[in-house]
Amino acid sequence: DVVMTQSPLSLPVTLGQPASISCRSSQSLVYSDGNTFLNWFQQRPGQSPRRLIYKVSNRDSGVPDRFSGSGSGTDFTLNISRVEAEDVGVYYCMQATHWPYTFGQGTKLEIK
Amino acid sequence: EVQLVESGGGLVQPGGSLRLSCAASGFNFNKYWMHWVRQAPGKGLVWVSHINSDGSSTTYADSVKGRFTISRDNAKNTLYLQMNSLRAEDTAVYYCTRANSGPDIWGQGTMVTVSS
């Protein structure tokens, strides 16, 4: 199975400051068709996960543009340009290139 | 509105069975692959199973293979997960998700507790 490793696992951030989460995969996430199926999810306390980013850098509908994704191959990053109070929660990366799909351990974002 | 609504969770004894359902609305259900993902209390997300759009192909995580069966009824816009021989480690919230370059739409989840 592909192992997804996130860092940090805990991320205290001051309101209005940027935040960055790293996600590394144990093997390349480039699919045979050239796509890279790396997703980012946000899970607010008590809620279902919500997808933010698909195929590395594409924002889902309704996702604020302060969220951005980047990376390639085995190394990926989720950036939040200016953290707001509603961004508190756990963030997960997930690869959908190889079966079985696998998630990172989660990064808990909190406000300092 | 695109929506997934799970049901069927509850308390079951070890070795017992449950069938989860997921009612889809607001999109062409029969065009999409679907997944089940679970989350144990206080833990992370784990993919469980997927099924292709016409139900002819299924895949399972090793931890549930031979015990769980995913299926769908496209006429009823409903996804199912039949869970047999349940174990304590199957205790989790089970989410139904739509597959679109990865899980894009998630239901609210249904809690399954396996305990005597």
mmCIF file of all heavy atoms in Angstrom, chain A residues 1 43 49 92-94 100-105, chain B residues 35-40 43-49 60-64 89 91-95 97 103 106:
data_model
loop_
_atom_site.group_PDB
_atom_site.id
_atom_site.type_symbol
_atom_site.label_atom_id
_atom_site.label_comp_id
_atom_site.label_asym_id
_atom_site.label_seq_id
_atom_site.Cartn_x
_atom_site.Cartn_y
_atom_site.Cartn_z
ATOM 1 N N ASP A 1 0.841 -1.197 0.000
ATOM 2 C CA ASP A 1 0.000 0.000 0.000
ATOM 3 C C ASP A 1 0.879 1.251 0.000
ATOM 4 O O ASP A 1 1.962 1.254 0.579
ATOM 5 C CB ASP A 1 -0.910 0.012 1.214
ATOM 6 C CG ASP A 1 -1.906 -1.138 1.231
ATOM 7 O OD1 ASP A 1 -1.878 -1.979 0.293
ATOM 8 O OD2 ASP A 1 -2.706 -1.184 2.175
ATOM 9 N N GLN A 43 -11.701 18.510 7.670
ATOM 10 C CA GLN A 43 -12.755 17.988 8.536
ATOM 11 C C GLN A 43 -12.869 18.889 9.755
ATOM 12 O O GLN A 43 -12.024 18.843 10.654
ATOM 13 C CB GLN A 43 -12.504 16.545 8.952
ATOM 14 C CG GLN A 43 -13.700 15.927 9.664
ATOM 15 C CD GLN A 43 -13.540 14.442 9.949
ATOM 16 O OE1 GLN A 43 -12.425 13.950 10.155
ATOM 17 N NE2 GLN A 43 -14.645 13.699 9.963
ATOM 18 N N PRO A 49 -15.927 15.002 6.356
ATOM 19 C CA PRO A 49 -14.866 15.615 5.561
ATOM 20 C C PRO A 49 -15.440 16.363 4.359
ATOM 21 O O PRO A 49 -16.507 16.020 3.843
ATOM 22 C CB PRO A 49 -14.031 14.404 5.106
ATOM 23 C CG PRO A 49 -14.320 13.347 6.116
ATOM 24 C CD PRO A 49 -15.759 13.551 6.497
ATOM 25 N N TYR A 92 -6.516 16.320 5.825
ATOM 26 C CA TYR A 92 -5.996 15.039 5.355
ATOM 27 C C TYR A 92 -5.612 15.129 3.877
ATOM 28 O O TYR A 92 -6.358 15.692 3.072
ATOM 29 C CB TYR A 92 -7.044 13.932 5.465
ATOM 30 C CG TYR A 92 -7.512 13.601 6.849
ATOM 31 C CD1 TYR A 92 -8.623 14.231 7.401
ATOM 32 C CD2 TYR A 92 -6.864 12.626 7.617
ATOM 33 C CE1 TYR A 92 -9.076 13.913 8.677
ATOM 34 C CE2 TYR A 92 -7.303 12.308 8.887
ATOM 35 C CZ TYR A 92 -8.406 12.951 9.414
ATOM 36 O OH TYR A 92 -8.841 12.633 10.676
ATOM 37 N N CYS A 93 -4.476 14.549 3.530
ATOM 38 C CA CYS A 93 -4.197 14.293 2.122
ATOM 39 C C CYS A 93 -4.629 12.861 1.830
ATOM 40 O O CYS A 93 -4.731 12.021 2.738
ATOM 41 C CB CYS A 93 -2.728 14.509 1.778
ATOM 42 S SG CYS A 93 -1.540 13.452 2.646
ATOM 43 N N MET A 94 -4.906 12.575 0.575
ATOM 44 C CA MET A 94 -5.335 11.243 0.171
ATOM 45 C C MET A 94 -4.911 10.998 -1.267
ATOM 46 O O MET A 94 -5.065 11.895 -2.112
ATOM 47 C CB MET A 94 -6.855 11.114 0.261
ATOM 48 C CG MET A 94 -7.349 9.689 0.098
ATOM 49 S SD MET A 94 -8.949 9.595 -0.729
ATOM 50 C CE MET A 94 -8.429 9.725 -2.415
ATOM 51 N N PRO A 100 -5.009 0.067 -2.616
ATOM 52 C CA PRO A 100 -6.164 0.809 -2.103
ATOM 53 C C PRO A 100 -5.855 2.292 -1.924
ATOM 54 O O PRO A 100 -4.705 2.663 -1.685
ATOM 55 C CB PRO A 100 -6.398 0.137 -0.744
ATOM 56 C CG PRO A 100 -5.025 -0.265 -0.308
ATOM 57 C CD PRO A 100 -4.301 -0.678 -1.570
ATOM 58 N N TYR A 101 -6.869 3.138 -2.065
ATOM 59 C CA TYR A 101 -6.684 4.544 -1.752
ATOM 60 C C TYR A 101 -6.198 4.651 -0.297
ATOM 61 O O TYR A 101 -6.634 3.885 0.575
ATOM 62 C CB TYR A 101 -7.997 5.297 -1.862
ATOM 63 C CG TYR A 101 -8.541 5.441 -3.263
ATOM 64 C CD1 TYR A 101 -9.795 6.002 -3.460
ATOM 65 C CD2 TYR A 101 -7.819 5.037 -4.388
ATOM 66 C CE1 TYR A 101 -10.323 6.172 -4.740
ATOM 67 C CE2 TYR A 101 -8.338 5.189 -5.667
ATOM 68 C CZ TYR A 101 -9.587 5.759 -5.823
ATOM 69 O OH TYR A 101 -10.106 5.911 -7.085
ATOM 70 N N THR A 102 -5.332 5.612 -0.038
ATOM 71 C CA THR A 102 -4.816 5.777 1.320
ATOM 72 C C THR A 102 -4.778 7.248 1.709
ATOM 73 O O THR A 102 -4.564 8.126 0.863
ATOM 74 C CB THR A 102 -3.407 5.161 1.463
ATOM 75 O OG1 THR A 102 -2.597 5.550 0.333
ATOM 76 C CG2 THR A 102 -3.474 3.648 1.527
ATOM 77 N N PHE A 103 -4.976 7.476 3.008
ATOM 78 C CA PHE A 103 -5.002 8.819 3.582
ATOM 79 C C PHE A 103 -3.758 9.054 4.431
ATOM 80 O O PHE A 103 -3.187 8.110 4.985
ATOM 81 C CB PHE A 103 -6.221 8.982 4.493
ATOM 82 C CG PHE A 103 -7.547 8.984 3.788
ATOM 83 C CD1 PHE A 103 -8.202 7.792 3.519
ATOM 84 C CD2 PHE A 103 -8.164 10.171 3.432
ATOM 85 C CE1 PHE A 103 -9.444 7.790 2.882
ATOM 86 C CE2 PHE A 103 -9.401 10.184 2.804
ATOM 87 C CZ PHE A 103 -10.047 8.988 2.527
ATOM 88 N N GLY A 104 -3.394 10.322 4.562
ATOM 89 C CA GLY A 104 -2.403 10.694 5.557
ATOM 90 C C GLY A 104 -3.018 10.617 6.951
ATOM 91 O O GLY A 104 -4.228 10.417 7.105
ATOM 92 N N GLN A 105 -2.178 10.797 7.977
ATOM 93 C CA GLN A 105 -2.630 10.648 9.368
ATOM 94 C C GLN A 105 -3.503 11.807 9.838
ATOM 95 O O GLN A 105 -4.201 11.701 10.852
ATOM 96 C CB GLN A 105 -1.433 10.573 10.335
ATOM 97 C CG GLN A 105 -0.266 9.760 9.848
ATOM 98 C CD GLN A 105 0.792 10.649 9.222
ATOM 99 O OE1 GLN A 105 0.512 11.327 8.214
ATOM 100 N NE2 GLN A 105 1.979 10.636 9.773
ATOM 101 N N HIS B 35 -17.813 5.033 -3.169
ATOM 102 C CA HIS B 35 -16.922 4.444 -2.166
ATOM 103 C C HIS B 35 -17.586 4.445 -0.793
ATOM 104 O O HIS B 35 -18.471 5.256 -0.515
ATOM 105 C CB HIS B 35 -15.645 5.282 -2.023
ATOM 106 C CG HIS B 35 -14.845 5.428 -3.266
ATOM 107 N ND1 HIS B 35 -13.993 4.454 -3.727
ATOM 108 C CD2 HIS B 35 -14.751 6.455 -4.151
ATOM 109 C CE1 HIS B 35 -13.402 4.873 -4.839
ATOM 110 N NE2 HIS B 35 -13.841 6.080 -5.119
ATOM 111 N N TRP B 36 -17.085 3.586 0.072
ATOM 112 C CA TRP B 36 -17.316 3.668 1.512
ATOM 113 C C TRP B 36 -15.961 3.951 2.170
ATOM 114 O O TRP B 36 -14.943 3.327 1.837
ATOM 115 C CB TRP B 36 -17.885 2.372 2.066
ATOM 116 C CG TRP B 36 -19.320 2.121 1.704
ATOM 117 C CD1 TRP B 36 -19.795 1.309 0.714
ATOM 118 C CD2 TRP B 36 -20.476 2.684 2.343
ATOM 119 N NE1 TRP B 36 -21.163 1.338 0.685
ATOM 120 C CE2 TRP B 36 -21.608 2.171 1.681
ATOM 121 C CE3 TRP B 36 -20.673 3.560 3.421
ATOM 122 C CZ2 TRP B 36 -22.910 2.507 2.052
ATOM 123 C CZ3 TRP B 36 -21.964 3.895 3.788
ATOM 124 C CH2 TRP B 36 -23.069 3.370 3.099
ATOM 125 N N VAL B 37 -15.990 4.906 3.093
ATOM 126 C CA VAL B 37 -14.806 5.278 3.880
ATOM 127 C C VAL B 37 -15.243 5.265 5.342
ATOM 128 O O VAL B 37 -16.370 5.665 5.658
ATOM 129 C CB VAL B 37 -14.303 6.684 3.489
ATOM 130 C CG1 VAL B 37 -13.145 7.117 4.380
ATOM 131 C CG2 VAL B 37 -13.885 6.720 2.013
ATOM 132 N N ARG B 38 -14.387 4.822 6.242
ATOM 133 C CA ARG B 38 -14.761 4.801 7.654
ATOM 134 C C ARG B 38 -13.762 5.550 8.518
ATOM 135 O O ARG B 38 -12.615 5.780 8.122
ATOM 136 C CB ARG B 38 -14.940 3.365 8.159
ATOM 137 C CG ARG B 38 -13.665 2.530 8.275
ATOM 138 C CD ARG B 38 -14.018 1.103 8.699
ATOM 139 N NE ARG B 38 -12.833 0.263 8.847
ATOM 140 C CZ ARG B 38 -12.879 -1.041 9.141
ATOM 141 N NH1 ARG B 38 -14.050 -1.654 9.305
ATOM 142 N NH2 ARG B 38 -11.746 -1.735 9.255
ATOM 143 N N GLN B 39 -14.237 5.895 9.712
ATOM 144 C CA GLN B 39 -13.419 6.651 10.668
ATOM 145 C C GLN B 39 -13.733 6.163 12.071
ATOM 146 O O GLN B 39 -14.829 6.404 12.589
ATOM 147 C CB GLN B 39 -13.707 8.159 10.532
ATOM 148 C CG GLN B 39 -12.818 9.028 11.384
ATOM 149 C CD GLN B 39 -12.998 10.507 11.062
ATOM 150 O OE1 GLN B 39 -14.093 10.961 10.765
ATOM 151 N NE2 GLN B 39 -11.904 11.258 11.110
ATOM 152 N N ALA B 40 -12.786 5.462 12.675
ATOM 153 C CA ALA B 40 -12.949 5.012 14.058
ATOM 154 C C ALA B 40 -12.946 6.229 14.983
ATOM 155 O O ALA B 40 -12.374 7.277 14.639
ATOM 156 C CB ALA B 40 -11.822 4.053 14.424
ATOM 157 N N LYS B 43 -10.018 8.792 15.381
ATOM 158 C CA LYS B 43 -8.954 8.359 14.481
ATOM 159 C C LYS B 43 -9.121 8.981 13.095
ATOM 160 O O LYS B 43 -10.023 9.784 12.850
ATOM 161 C CB LYS B 43 -8.975 6.827 14.366
ATOM 162 C CG LYS B 43 -8.801 6.097 15.688
ATOM 163 C CD LYS B 43 -7.455 6.369 16.321
ATOM 164 C CE LYS B 43 -7.252 5.539 17.570
ATOM 165 N NZ LYS B 43 -5.939 5.837 18.226
ATOM 166 N N GLY B 44 -8.245 8.579 12.173
ATOM 167 C CA GLY B 44 -8.253 9.125 10.829
ATOM 168 C C GLY B 44 -9.185 8.383 9.887
ATOM 169 O O GLY B 44 -9.939 7.486 10.278
ATOM 170 N N LEU B 45 -9.108 8.773 8.626
ATOM 171 C CA LEU B 45 -9.981 8.226 7.588
ATOM 172 C C LEU B 45 -9.343 7.001 6.950
ATOM 173 O O LEU B 45 -8.145 6.983 6.673
ATOM 174 C CB LEU B 45 -10.234 9.298 6.524
ATOM 175 C CG LEU B 45 -10.905 10.569 7.034
ATOM 176 C CD1 LEU B 45 -10.815 11.679 5.984
ATOM 177 C CD2 LEU B 45 -12.363 10.300 7.395
ATOM 178 N N VAL B 46 -10.180 5.998 6.678
ATOM 179 C CA VAL B 46 -9.706 4.760 6.062
ATOM 180 C C VAL B 46 -10.672 4.355 4.954
ATOM 181 O O VAL B 46 -11.874 4.207 5.203
ATOM 182 C CB VAL B 46 -9.592 3.616 7.099
ATOM 183 C CG1 VAL B 46 -9.172 2.320 6.418
ATOM 184 C CG2 VAL B 46 -8.630 3.980 8.205
ATOM 185 N N TRP B 47 -10.137 4.184 3.743
ATOM 186 C CA TRP B 47 -10.973 3.715 2.639
ATOM 187 C C TRP B 47 -11.333 2.251 2.861
ATOM 188 O O TRP B 47 -10.504 1.450 3.291
ATOM 189 C CB TRP B 47 -10.189 3.891 1.329
ATOM 190 C CG TRP B 47 -10.863 3.299 0.156
ATOM 191 C CD1 TRP B 47 -11.850 3.855 -0.598
ATOM 192 C CD2 TRP B 47 -10.612 2.009 -0.405
ATOM 193 N NE1 TRP B 47 -12.231 2.982 -1.588
ATOM 194 C CE2 TRP B 47 -11.495 1.836 -1.485
ATOM 195 C CE3 TRP B 47 -9.745 0.969 -0.083
ATOM 196 C CZ2 TRP B 47 -11.517 0.680 -2.260
ATOM 197 C CZ3 TRP B 47 -9.761 -0.186 -0.849
ATOM 198 C CH2 TRP B 47 -10.648 -0.314 -1.919
ATOM 199 N N VAL B 48 -12.599 1.894 2.576
ATOM 200 C CA VAL B 48 -13.102 0.546 2.829
ATOM 201 C C VAL B 48 -13.366 -0.233 1.547
ATOM 202 O O VAL B 48 -12.944 -1.385 1.408
ATOM 203 C CB VAL B 48 -14.408 0.609 3.656
ATOM 204 C CG1 VAL B 48 -15.054 -0.768 3.791
ATOM 205 C CG2 VAL B 48 -14.144 1.217 5.033
ATOM 206 N N SER B 49 -14.098 0.413 0.610
ATOM 207 C CA SER B 49 -14.526 -0.338 -0.568
ATOM 208 C C SER B 49 -14.978 0.620 -1.660
ATOM 209 O O SER B 49 -15.334 1.765 -1.378
ATOM 210 C CB SER B 49 -15.692 -1.263 -0.194
ATOM 211 O OG SER B 49 -16.121 -2.018 -1.312
ATOM 212 N N TYR B 60 -12.023 -4.116 -2.255
ATOM 213 C CA TYR B 60 -12.132 -4.013 -0.794
ATOM 214 C C TYR B 60 -10.765 -3.840 -0.151
ATOM 215 O O TYR B 60 -9.757 -4.345 -0.653
ATOM 216 C CB TYR B 60 -12.771 -5.282 -0.220
ATOM 217 C CG TYR B 60 -14.153 -5.556 -0.743
ATOM 218 C CD1 TYR B 60 -14.343 -6.359 -1.864
ATOM 219 C CD2 TYR B 60 -15.265 -4.982 -0.134
ATOM 220 C CE1 TYR B 60 -15.614 -6.590 -2.374
ATOM 221 C CE2 TYR B 60 -16.540 -5.206 -0.631
ATOM 222 C CZ TYR B 60 -16.708 -6.010 -1.757
ATOM 223 O OH TYR B 60 -17.969 -6.226 -2.244
ATOM 224 N N ALA B 61 -10.756 -3.138 0.981
ATOM 225 C CA ALA B 61 -9.559 -3.122 1.812
ATOM 226 C C ALA B 61 -9.340 -4.524 2.368
ATOM 227 O O ALA B 61 -10.305 -5.262 2.617
ATOM 228 C CB ALA B 61 -9.731 -2.118 2.942
ATOM 229 N N ASP B 62 -8.085 -4.882 2.581
ATOM 230 C CA ASP B 62 -7.778 -6.218 3.105
ATOM 231 C C ASP B 62 -8.489 -6.485 4.438
ATOM 232 O O ASP B 62 -8.888 -7.622 4.721
ATOM 233 C CB ASP B 62 -6.263 -6.369 3.302
ATOM 234 C CG ASP B 62 -5.517 -6.551 1.989
ATOM 235 O OD1 ASP B 62 -6.171 -6.812 0.962
ATOM 236 O OD2 ASP B 62 -4.276 -6.420 1.998
ATOM 237 N N SER B 63 -8.663 -5.440 5.232
ATOM 238 C CA SER B 63 -9.240 -5.604 6.575
ATOM 239 C C SER B 63 -10.706 -6.032 6.545
ATOM 240 O O SER B 63 -11.221 -6.526 7.558
ATOM 241 C CB SER B 63 -9.100 -4.302 7.363
ATOM 242 O OG SER B 63 -9.726 -3.240 6.658
ATOM 243 N N VAL B 64 -11.391 -5.864 5.409
ATOM 244 C CA VAL B 64 -12.816 -6.206 5.348
ATOM 245 C C VAL B 64 -13.114 -7.250 4.276
ATOM 246 O O VAL B 64 -14.257 -7.723 4.169
ATOM 247 C CB VAL B 64 -13.699 -4.960 5.106
ATOM 248 C CG1 VAL B 64 -13.383 -3.876 6.132
ATOM 249 C CG2 VAL B 64 -13.545 -4.431 3.689
ATOM 250 N N GLU B 89 -13.086 -3.942 16.031
ATOM 251 C CA GLU B 89 -12.292 -2.958 15.270
ATOM 252 C C GLU B 89 -13.028 -2.387 14.063
ATOM 253 O O GLU B 89 -12.505 -1.494 13.392
ATOM 254 C CB GLU B 89 -10.952 -3.565 14.834
ATOM 255 C CG GLU B 89 -11.056 -4.863 14.060
ATOM 256 C CD GLU B 89 -10.899 -6.095 14.947
ATOM 257 O OE1 GLU B 89 -11.348 -6.045 16.125
ATOM 258 O OE2 GLU B 89 -10.338 -7.106 14.451
ATOM 259 N N THR B 91 -15.803 -0.854 14.560
ATOM 260 C CA THR B 91 -16.518 0.280 15.145
ATOM 261 C C THR B 91 -16.016 1.578 14.531
ATOM 262 O O THR B 91 -14.819 1.881 14.588
ATOM 263 C CB THR B 91 -16.321 0.304 16.677
ATOM 264 O OG1 THR B 91 -16.953 -0.842 17.238
ATOM 265 C CG2 THR B 91 -16.907 1.576 17.276
ATOM 266 N N ALA B 92 -16.923 2.342 13.930
ATOM 267 C CA ALA B 92 -16.526 3.549 13.211
ATOM 268 C C ALA B 92 -17.764 4.269 12.681
ATOM 269 O O ALA B 92 -18.861 3.698 12.652
ATOM 270 C CB ALA B 92 -15.619 3.197 12.028
ATOM 271 N N VAL B 93 -17.550 5.501 12.256
ATOM 272 C CA VAL B 93 -18.524 6.185 11.412
ATOM 273 C C VAL B 93 -18.223 5.782 9.977
ATOM 274 O O VAL B 93 -17.066 5.833 9.542
ATOM 275 C CB VAL B 93 -18.432 7.716 11.556
ATOM 276 C CG1 VAL B 93 -19.362 8.402 10.569
ATOM 277 C CG2 VAL B 93 -18.758 8.134 12.985
ATOM 278 N N TYR B 94 -19.257 5.361 9.274
ATOM 279 C CA TYR B 94 -19.115 4.945 7.883
ATOM 280 C C TYR B 94 -19.691 6.020 6.970
ATOM 281 O O TYR B 94 -20.858 6.406 7.111
ATOM 282 C CB TYR B 94 -19.812 3.598 7.656
ATOM 283 C CG TYR B 94 -19.024 2.444 8.227
ATOM 284 C CD1 TYR B 94 -18.977 2.232 9.607
ATOM 285 C CD2 TYR B 94 -18.292 1.588 7.411
ATOM 286 C CE1 TYR B 94 -18.230 1.188 10.148
ATOM 287 C CE2 TYR B 94 -17.541 0.544 7.940
ATOM 288 C CZ TYR B 94 -17.517 0.356 9.302
ATOM 289 O OH TYR B 94 -16.766 -0.671 9.832
ATOM 290 N N TYR B 95 -18.848 6.483 6.054
ATOM 291 C CA TYR B 95 -19.243 7.521 5.111
ATOM 292 C C TYR B 95 -19.393 6.933 3.709
ATOM 293 O O TYR B 95 -18.533 6.169 3.255
ATOM 294 C CB TYR B 95 -18.191 8.623 5.035
ATOM 295 C CG TYR B 95 -18.001 9.431 6.287
ATOM 296 C CD1 TYR B 95 -16.914 9.195 7.127
ATOM 297 C CD2 TYR B 95 -18.876 10.464 6.622
ATOM 298 C CE1 TYR B 95 -16.710 9.954 8.263
ATOM 299 C CE2 TYR B 95 -18.671 11.227 7.759
ATOM 300 C CZ TYR B 95 -17.587 10.963 8.572
ATOM 301 O OH TYR B 95 -17.392 11.718 9.702
ATOM 302 N N THR B 97 -19.316 8.012 -0.188
ATOM 303 C CA THR B 97 -18.739 9.114 -0.948
ATOM 304 C C THR B 97 -18.875 8.862 -2.445
ATOM 305 O O THR B 97 -18.845 7.707 -2.892
ATOM 306 C CB THR B 97 -17.245 9.324 -0.629
ATOM 307 O OG1 THR B 97 -16.470 8.305 -1.271
ATOM 308 C CG2 THR B 97 -16.970 9.272 0.862
ATOM 309 N N PRO B 103 -12.789 11.037 -3.679
ATOM 310 C CA PRO B 103 -14.114 11.275 -3.070
ATOM 311 C C PRO B 103 -14.440 12.759 -3.032
ATOM 312 O O PRO B 103 -13.774 13.503 -2.315
ATOM 313 C CB PRO B 103 -13.950 10.705 -1.654
ATOM 314 C CG PRO B 103 -12.733 9.831 -1.703
ATOM 315 C CD PRO B 103 -11.833 10.435 -2.715
ATOM 316 N N TRP B 106 -19.485 13.803 0.252
ATOM 317 C CA TRP B 106 -19.555 12.893 1.395
ATOM 318 C C TRP B 106 -20.911 13.015 2.060
ATOM 319 O O TRP B 106 -21.478 14.108 2.152
ATOM 320 C CB TRP B 106 -18.479 13.261 2.417
ATOM 321 C CG TRP B 106 -17.063 13.080 1.942
ATOM 322 C CD1 TRP B 106 -16.457 13.736 0.907
ATOM 323 C CD2 TRP B 106 -16.080 12.207 2.500
ATOM 324 N NE1 TRP B 106 -15.154 13.313 0.781
ATOM 325 C CE2 TRP B 106 -14.892 12.372 1.748
ATOM 326 C CE3 TRP B 106 -16.074 11.293 3.550
ATOM 327 C CZ2 TRP B 106 -13.723 11.661 2.024
ATOM 328 C CZ3 TRP B 106 -14.908 10.591 3.841
ATOM 329 C CH2 TRP B 106 -13.744 10.774 3.072
#
